[in-house]
Amino acid sequence: MSATGKHTAEPIAANEQQARAVAEAARETQWAHHSFVRELYNGKLRLDLVHPYPLEDPEEDAKAQPFLQRLAHVLESIDTDQIEREHKIPQRVIEQFKEIGAFGIKIPQQYGGLGLSLRSYVKAMGMVNSVDASLTTLLAAHQSIGVPQPLLHFGTEEQKQKYLPRLARGAVSAFALTEPDAGSDPSNIRSHAELTDEGDAYVLNGEKLWITNGSIAELLVVMAMTGPQRITAFIVETDWPGVEVAQRCQFMGLNGAEIAHFRFTNVRVPKENLLWKEGAGLKLALVTLNTGRLGLPMIAAFAAKRTLSYTRVWANRRVQWGRVIGKHDLIAQIIGNMAASTFALESVAELTAILAQKENVDIRLEAAIAKLYNTEMAGHIIDDAVQVYGGRGYETRASIHARGENSPPLERMYRDARILRIFEGTSEIMHLFIAREVVDMHLSVAGDLINQKLSLLEKIKPLLTAGAYYSLWYPKLWLGWGYWPRYSEFGRLAPQMRYLSRTTRRLARALFHAIVIFGARLEKRQSVLARLIDIGAELYAMTASCVRAQAMLHAQPDNDEPVEIAVLFCRQSRRRVERLFKTIFNNDDTQNYKLARDVLAGKHTWLEQDLPHLVEEKDAGRSIANGVID
Ligand SMILES: Cc1cc2nc3c(=O)[nH]c(=O)nc-3n(C[C@H](O)[C@H](O)[C@H](O)COP(=O)(O)OP(=O)(O)OC[C@H]3O[C@@H](n4cnc5c(N)ncnc54)[C@H](O)[C@@H]3O)c2cc1C
């Protein structure tokens, strides 16, 4: 290796086994603390972890309230149409955020931050998102995954002293993991950093793609290879020689977001800017994402809240066929679903933040399931709102304004919200991540039993161990009591709590059956796993809604509105759960997979016949008419 760290050989993309090995090596394998979601798949509804639900935290609220009021004041003065039009967040707004401490909400006061709790932070991000999603990317990418988060977790005291006060004052930061060939699969990272001959610095080369805040960031946390399958994290200052913003990327939405493609050419990174330790960079990135994604459930919930508020106004005002559209049954059904789901989304987001603040709870799975559920559900809610608004839901706000009408920016919200299901772990990866952990819980007992490579003789020992465990565990899943009078203290919510208790055991049974039926092949049956995860997500959302509604009733005994909404949400959720159970084993997965393979092999290109060649494809010398896109 040269002193400039120039790479000579072109790296080759990792194969499936290597990719897994990299991910597995970085996986947190220990479960030292409780996990509500993990226990669901073990057949246990751990109500003790989530109930009673603390509606407020007076000490924290007293600290957070003045900030949240200042934040609301700033947000209320922002012209979001201007951001959309000019593709830029005005510097004045960034300065106002700096003045109120919005860049250091969670950073402890000793380092110059506001020192507020995670619960206050996610609420702030929700409020911001209800105004403009580009503003959310600015503040959340900086604080959820940007430099402060891994620095607080893994930095040395010296690094914290050096950078945290700067970050809290508003030095914008970003998290740089993704590359052109490394999206969900980080084993393909090609950026690399070599130690200089003197050993006092690394030389960083490579590129990073779609780095949120990148084009205005002062500081980055960059993951790069420091050896074969050794990913290391560094704090990189963007004004160092060799750091270049190659492009500010443009997207379907988030017009004001500063999302960049970076190029690093022989960037000298002092050794003291290595974060944590060599080779621990992927673990650092995954831990950062595990906690970083805690903001997204509330961001999604507030998008739903805003959408509900717009929809309520419009469905009350718009008259068609002699009635306001909100009175037509099909539209009323949408609004009812929207309201019930909005309550659930906020409950999920809040409960997850509450759990994350408990010292004895590991929220890896809660954060993932909340991100998955809330972002998917918010997507449906906004889509429904566009439908209720009809043509005005599809038209840009600028166009509506141009003819003198006023209408909310639903079309923009629809575009902005789409990314929530993609970044910080796609919905598919969230399913697989949760499935990996909950299947592993059973495999740690019965693993060798389903290993099809082992002979019968080799299976005897695990059979004895697992047999002893499961002979006690399995019958309990059938015998537990989930009927009256259990949970009577929940009043009108008691039937829902009983359903949750019964269905948690049913879920664990279904997972166990899937493990037994598919054995090692279960890993490839992603759709089966996804249904099991979706059932768990519904159970989590129902639990969150019930315990929160119960707490709200306790606080205000003469107001049973939250209970009414929670009951309705549970009824809707139960129907989804029953549909999912029905299709775990009875589905078209095999046929559909085969068809997909045939399509990919070019067998059905006749389906694509009669497509005129597009100018841009002709220009690029491409053709899709013959099934080739290249
Ligand atoms: C607006 C925006 C902002 C972003 N901000 C950042 C940032 O700040 N920092 C950063 O590092 N990155 C960022 N990203 C990158 C983002 O996290 C990735 O886009 C995301 O991780 C997915 O990677 P990919 O786009 O390469 O998709 P791919 O990984 O190529 O996946 C394509 C599709 O295949 C699916 N898929 C992949 N693997 C599997 C599998 N094993 N099984 C089943 N399905 C699978 C995916 O779910 C997806 O649907 C950003 C992206 C965007 C668009």
Side-chain angles (χ1 to χ4, degrees):
M1 187 63 53
S2 72
T4 57
K6 272 213 169 104
H7 225 52
T8 40
E10 183 65 17
I12 304 161
N15 65 28
E16 194 174 345
Q17 255 180 348
Q18 289 164 333
R20 268 154 195 280
V22 171
E24 279 299 311
R27 190 179 142 236
E28 286 180 87
T29 50
Q30 298 302 314
W31 284 92
H33 300 296
H34 304 293
S35 162
F36 179 85
V37 168
R38 190 167 181 261
E39 290 292 345
L40 281 181
Y41 291 89
N42 201 18
K44 293 183 192 141
L45 184 70
R46 288 287 307 272
L47 209 52
D48 59 309
L49 295 177
V50 296
H51 177 67
Y53 176 104
L55 274 184
E56 46 193 32
D57 175 348
E59 208 179 305
E60 169 68 17
D61 294 348
K63 258 169 59 184
Q65 216 42 46
F67 165 71
L68 293 174
Q69 275 165 8
R70 283 197 286 273
L71 179 65
H73 185 70
V74 172
L75 291 172
E76 280 161 16
S77 71
I78 296 174
D79 180 353
T80 59
D81 290 335
Q82 185 191 351
I83 297 175
E84 183 68 3
R85 208 172 44 243
E86 297 178 1
H87 287 233
K88 197 90 194 148
I89 297 172
Q91 191 57 33
R92 177 187 54 81
V93 172
I94 297 179
E95 294 307 322
Q96 282 176 318
F97 282 150
K98 285 183 187 175
E99 273 162 34
I100 63 169
F103 285 91
I105 302 173
K106 283 181 297 167
I107 295 177
Q109 284 173 331
Q110 68 188 100
Y111 300 112
L114 298 181
L116 296 179
S117 71
L118 178 76
R119 191 172 175 182
S120 303
Y121 166 74
V122 300
K123 170 124 190 243
M125 288 309 104
M127 286 166 61
V128 173
N129 200 58
S130 72
V131 172
D132 188 309
S134 294
L135 300 170
T136 321
T137 60
L138 169 70
L139 295 175
H142 168 72
Q143 293 173 89
S144 288
I145 54 176
V147 179
Q149 186 70 21
L151 184 55
L152 275 166
H153 248 99
F154 301 104
T156 62
E157 190 49 41
E158 219 178 341
Q159 289 172 329
K160 289 180 192 172
Q161 297 281 359
K162 180 170 176 190
Y163 285 117
L164 284 175
R166 197 172 145 192
L167 290 157
R169 281 197 302 273
V172 175
S173 74
F175 172 85
L177 178 66
T178 304
E179 298 186 3
D181 290 327
S184 306
D185 168 14
S187 66
N188 279 342
I189 285 183
R190 291 176 180 191
S191 294
H192 51 95
E194 282 81 30
L195 202 57
T196 55
D197 293 340
E198 297 75 25
D200 60 341
Y202 289 82
V203 177
L204 173 67
N205 280 284
E207 58 182 317
K208 291 285 171 186
L209 190 60
W210 303 326
I211 306 310
T212 305
N213 284 348
S215 33
I216 55 165
E218 288 182 32
L219 297 166
L220 311 174
V221 52
V222 177
M223 271 52 71
M225 291 287 184
T226 48
Q229 303 194 353
R230 271 169 78 79
I231 298 171
T232 303
F234 301 94
I235 298 175
V236 171
E237 305 206 15
T238 54
D239 63 358
W240 287 346
V243 178
E244 177 200 352
V245 173
Q247 179 198 6
R248 180 180 165 201
C249 309
Q250 300 293 329
F251 298 90
M252 170 196 284
L254 298 182
N255 281 4
E258 298 276 353
I259 302 176
H261 174 198
F262 271 100
R263 204 166 284 135
F264 304 114
T265 313
N266 294 330
V267 180
R268 192 184 150 83
V269 184
K271 202 172 176 187
E272 55 270 21
N273 276 36
L274 185 154
L275 256 180
W276 199 10
K277 54 190 179 193
E278 258 214 38
L282 186 55
K283 193 168 232 168
L284 173 145
L286 297 182
V287 170
T288 300
L289 285 168
N290 280 345
T291 42
R293 63 175 69 98
L294 282 165
L296 291 172
M298 195 60 97
I299 285 167
F302 266 71
K305 281 159 79 88
R306 179 65 81 191
T307 310
L308 177 65
S309 127
Y310 287 150
T311 308
R312 177 175 53 76
V313 173
W314 181 246
N316 261 324
R317 185 192 301 154
R318 176 74 171 167
V319 176
Q320 292 290 283
W321 308 95
R323 323 177 80 183
V324 291
I325 55 169
K327 285 193 178 167
H328 294 302
D329 183 52
L330 286 171
I331 298 300
Q333 296 300 331
I334 290 177
I335 295 168
N337 282 332
M338 208 183 253
S341 301
T342 299
F343 179 76
L345 296 200
E346 192 167 9
S347 308
V348 164
E350 226 180 49
L351 178 66
T352 311
I354 290 168
L355 284 172
Q357 289 177 182
K358 293 190 176 188
E359 300 225 315
N360 63 343
V361 175
D362 184 327
I363 46 76
R364 260 175 281 171
L365 298 187
E366 285 71 12
I369 220 161
K371 193 264 178 188
L372 169 65
Y373 191 81
N374 279 21
T375 59
E376 287 284 334
M377 193 62 107
H380 293 306
I381 291 174
I382 299 172
D383 186 69
D384 279 345
V386 168
Q387 196 66 20
V388 173
Y389 267 80
R392 286 170 185 80
Y394 189 68
E395 189 177 14
T396 67
R397 192 162 131 94
S399 168
I400 297 170
H401 274 184
R403 62 167 182 278
E405 276 190 45
N406 196 2
S407 195
L410 264 181
E411 170 270 345
R412 188 195 87 211
M413 286 182 71
Y414 181 82
R415 289 185 284 108
D416 285 349
R418 188 61 185 83
I419 189 59
L420 295 174
R421 290 143 72 185
I422 296 172
F423 63 15
E424 296 190 37
T426 64
S427 291
E428 291 75 19
I429 295 300
M430 290 300 92
H431 278 112
L432 299 179
F433 169 70
I434 301 160
R436 170 75 185 85
E437 295 304 330
V438 299
V439 170
D440 190 67
M441 176 173 62
H442 290 278
L443 291 190
S444 60
V445 184
D448 283 347
L449 204 57
I450 58 155
N451 182 346
Q452 287 164 346
K453 287 190 188 142
L454 293 186
S455 69
L456 204 58
L457 210 62
E458 287 169 310
K459 284 187 178 177
I460 286 183
K461 186 167 165 267
L463 180 72
L464 292 176
T465 331
Y469 174 79
Y470 283 112
S471 66
L472 293 173
W473 179 81
Y474 190 74
K476 273 198 223 150
L477 298 184
W478 292 95
L479 297 175
W481 185 252
Y483 296 93
W484 184 86
R486 277 198 84 186
Y487 303 110
S488 295
E489 71 275 19
F490 277 87
R492 280 178 64 197
L493 289 162
Q496 313 307 331
M497 295 306 298
R498 290 179 199 127
Y499 176 84
L500 278 168
S501 161
R502 293 193 301 273
T503 313
T504 299
R505 288 194 296 279
R506 189 172 160 207
L507 174 62
R509 286 199 305 265
L511 174 62
F512 184 67
H513 294 165
I515 292 174
V516 171
I517 291 169
F518 294 112
R521 285 173 299 130
L522 180 57
E523 193 186 7
K524 302 268 181 217
R525 301 299 300 261
Q526 294 183 342
S527 305
V528 170
L529 289 169
R531 288 184 197 103
L532 290 161
I533 300 313
D534 287 339
I535 294 171
E538 292 287 356
L539 299 185
Y540 184 55
M542 274 190 253
T543 308
S545 304
C546 286
V547 292
R548 177 162 169 245
Q550 181 70 3
M552 290 169 91
L553 183 68
H554 188 73
Q556 269 190 296
D558 54 348
N559 179 9
D560 67 354
E561 287 173 11
V563 168
E564 200 176 311
I565 290 181
V567 168
L568 182 59
F569 172 75
C570 288
R571 290 172 63 102
Q572 296 166 352
S573 179
R574 284 169 70 159
R575 281 181 219 287
R576 289 191 289 269
V577 167
E578 293 309 314
R579 271 201 300 274
L580 284 163
F581 270 119
K582 272 196 192 119
T583 50
I584 294 176
F585 300 112
N586 184 7
N587 52 56
D588 305 316
D589 291 355
T590 312
Q591 294 84 338
N592 217 23
Y593 189 83
K594 182 181 173 302
L595 176 57
R597 299 284 305 154
D598 288 347
V599 167
L600 293 176
K603 195 168 167 189
H604 299 299
T605 47
W606 52 270
L607 286 167
E608 301 159 22
Q609 264 168 14
D610 302 330
L611 292 174
H613 284 215
L614 300 174
V615 170
E616 57 268 30
E617 278 154 5
K618 276 194 236 154
D619 285 353
R622 296 168 175 185
S623 165
I624 54 169
N626 61 2
V628 178
I629 310 173
D630 212 335

